[in-house]
Amino acid sequence: MDRDGLLVGYRYVRDFSFPRRFPVIQFPNAPLIIAFAGGQLAALLHGVSSDDARAISYLAMTVWAYEELAHGVNWFRHLLGLAYVVSTAFHLSRALSH
């Protein structure tokens, strides 16, 4: 497959949403992928490296949640962003208190 074919395939996957008229499920964007990867790295690593990966995960999740809250495609995505802003703030405050 050539480069143009890969770009078309990537755009197709990136634009996936279900259902089309009122997207509830969407393909993860960059901040969400980074948040998941950071969380998985934090679970695998130890010490300062784990803390760094967890911080990256919290930051990326906060960016994703803010983007959904401010720029989501419908009221459900806005509400989802709000829920994750609150959830991330709660988890971050618990992590900082330990």
Side-chain angles (χ1 to χ4, degrees), residues 2 5 7 9 14 25 27 30-31 33 39 46 48 50-51 55 58 65 81 83 86 92-93 97:
D2 64 351
L7 287 175
R14 185 190 66 197
I25 300 169
F27 186 78
I33 292 169
H46 301 285
V48 175
S50 178
D51 295 341
Y58 285 137
V86 171
L92 182 59
S93 69
S97 68

Side-chain angles (χ1 to χ4, degrees), residues 28-43:
N29 58 12
L32 193 56
I33 292 169
I34 292 168
F36 288 153
Q40 291 302 307
L41 274 174

Side-chain angles (χ1 to χ4, degrees), residues 3 8 14 44 73 78 83:
R3 182 175 178 222
V8 169
R14 185 190 66 197
L44 295 173
V73 296
H78 293 287

Side-chain angles (χ1 to χ4, degrees), residues 4 6 8 13 39 55 66 77 88 96:
D4 292 334
L6 285 173
V8 169
V13 169
Y66 170 77
R77 302 300 294 188
T88 303
L96 291 175

